[in-house]
């Protein structure tokens, strides 16, 4: 008898990951339950997005998911709950969503739900969304006023509160505060990471996947101290348990899912 250890080449690219309270994981065009084995087929599949397969997914407090993407060469949004199949909303005209968007975050502006999408350069566009994640209207351009020019790129955003946001920029964690419709840098963390990191906030903790160091960290966002680290192989990426260039990250509660790009797989992590 042969037992499946993992599917080689199962996840060749991953820009969007979503994780809800029940541990359901969304990637590309379907979901897996938290306890599913590596050989379990995806549930609730939908028409897959076009390359590059969507920007950073956002999970709202009500567990509804928003995934900005392109479907059939049109700006689109997947939205809804992972309890059922996500719905795809394709917009034939009037939507300024860029195909090059990489990072996303959601918050309220003047009582309305806003989805912010950001290019690698830090240039942003916002959209008004319903509470189930459906697109409603354009909300205009949004600027991230950073203290330094972007070199390697912005990879992800994470909301600390309605008026405080974190951004992963050039391997740094940057804190930004609301400044009208824009966001302005207030602090740049002193921690040393590699040149490319991805971040997520869950249960008051900051998760960081550090591509260059082959590790995932959990930090206290106030003190900046490391609470936990997952790097089972250290720099030995040939170890079967090791991470190899971890990138896209989603976190909810004490759980996280990370795209282990060098091994073309998703890795589930639990904070104990």
């Amino acid at each position: 008898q042969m037992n499946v250890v993992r599917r080689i080449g199962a996840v060749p690219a991953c820009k969007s990951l979503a994780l809800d309270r029940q541990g359901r994981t969304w990637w590309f065009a379907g979901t897996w339950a938290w306890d599913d084995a590596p050989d379990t087929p995806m549930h609730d599949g939908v028409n897959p997005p076009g390359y590059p397969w969507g920007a950073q997914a956002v999970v709202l407090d009500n567990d509804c998911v928003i995934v900005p993407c392109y479907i059939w060469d049109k700006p689109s949004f997947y939205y809804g709950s992972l309890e059922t199949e996500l719905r795809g909303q394709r917009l034939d005209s009037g939507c300024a969503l860029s195909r090059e968007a990489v990072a996303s975050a959601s918050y309220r502006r003047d009582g309305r739900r806003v989805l912010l999408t950001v290019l690698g350069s830090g240039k942003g566009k916002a959209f008004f969304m319903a509470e189930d994640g459906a697109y409603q209207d354009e909300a205009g351009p949004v600027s991230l006023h950073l203290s330094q020019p972007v070199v390697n790129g912005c990879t992800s955003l994470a909301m600390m509160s309605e008026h405080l946001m974190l951004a992963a920029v050039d391997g740094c964690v940057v804190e930004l505060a609301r400044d009208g419709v824009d966001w302005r840098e207030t602090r740049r963390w002193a921690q040393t990471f590699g040149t490319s990191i991805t971040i997520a906030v869950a249960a008051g903790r900051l998760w960081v996947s550090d591509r260059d160091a082959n590790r995932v960290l959990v930090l206290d966002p106030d003190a900046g101290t490391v609470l936990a680290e997952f790097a089972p192989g250290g720099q030995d990426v040939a170890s079967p348990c090791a991470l190899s260039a971890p990138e896209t990250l989603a976190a909810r509660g004490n759980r996280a899912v990370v795209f282990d790009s060098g091994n073309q797989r998703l890795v589930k992590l639990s904070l104990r």
Side-chain angles (χ1 to χ4, degrees):
Q1 179 179 345
M2 304 293 286
N3 295 318
V4 174
V5 177
R6 70 179 180 91
R7 287 184 280 181
I8 298 175
V11 185
C14 178
K15 296 297 183 183
S16 303
L17 274 176
L19 182 66
D20 71 5
R21 286 185 179 89
Q22 302 303 316
R24 287 177 287 247
T25 302
W26 189 92
W27 166 72
F28 183 52
T31 61
W32 283 290
W34 185 258
D35 293 328
D36 281 344
D39 59 335
T40 303
M42 298 176 79
H43 309 288
D44 300 321
V46 296
N47 288 325
Y51 187 82
W53 300 352
Q56 179 184 6
V58 171
V59 181
L60 307 179
D61 289 340
N62 61 5
D63 261 358
C64 284
V65 175
I66 309 174
V67 185
C69 61
Y70 265 63
I71 303 175
W72 303 333
D73 209 34
K74 297 290 184 180
S76 307
F77 299 90
Y78 289 119
Y79 71 97
S81 169
L82 296 184
E83 292 181 359
T84 58
E85 182 177 282
L86 290 187
R87 286 161 283 183
Q89 186 179 19
R90 187 167 62 100
L91 303 165
D92 291 326
S93 63
C95 180
L97 177 67
S98 171
R99 190 188 296 272
E100 306 304 319
V102 292
S104 309
S106 184
Y107 48 91
R108 292 186 183 278
R109 183 203 297 173
D110 299 326
R112 298 187 67 181
R113 169 71 58 192
V114 168
L115 176 73
L116 170 63
T117 64
V118 173
L119 307 183
S121 64
K123 184 178 180 180
K125 284 288 181 73
F127 309 92
F128 289 118
M129 316 296 288
E131 289 305 312
D132 64 354
Y135 168 87
Q136 292 182 325
D137 200 359
E138 301 293 289
V142 173
S143 295
L144 305 185
H145 299 283
L146 302 171
S147 63
Q148 302 175 25
V150 178
V151 178
N152 296 314
C154 174
T155 62
S156 49
L157 303 174
M159 297 303 300
M160 290 297 299
S161 69
E162 293 291 330
H163 298 278
L164 190 66
M165 180 170 68
L166 301 179
V169 182
D170 294 340
C172 298
V173 177
V174 178
E175 183 182 282
L176 302 108
R178 287 277 288 271
D179 183 12
V181 299
D182 296 334
W183 294 82
R184 187 170 300 276
E185 180 177 336
T186 55
R187 179 168 68 116
R188 191 167 290 231
W189 287 28
Q191 277 86 355
T192 301
F193 303 112
T195 57
S196 179
I197 62 173
T198 305
I199 61 173
V201 168
R205 294 181 286 262
L206 175 66
W207 294 72
V208 178
S209 65
D210 189 343
R211 177 184 169 89
D212 293 350
N214 302 309
R215 62 180 180 170
V216 173
L217 300 173
V218 183
L219 299 99
D220 180 330
D222 295 322
T225 54
V226 176
L227 303 175
E229 179 178 5
F230 182 78
Q235 294 299 317
D236 180 16
V237 296
S239 169
C241 293
L243 296 177
S244 176
E247 295 180 345
T248 307
L249 179 73
R252 191 73 164 168
N254 292 332
R255 294 166 169 163
V257 177
V258 62
F259 171 45
D260 189 21
S261 69
N263 291 311
Q264 295 192 350
R265 63 182 177 180
L266 301 180
V267 175
K268 297 182 290 186
L269 303 174
S270 294
L271 186 62
R272 301 178 187 273

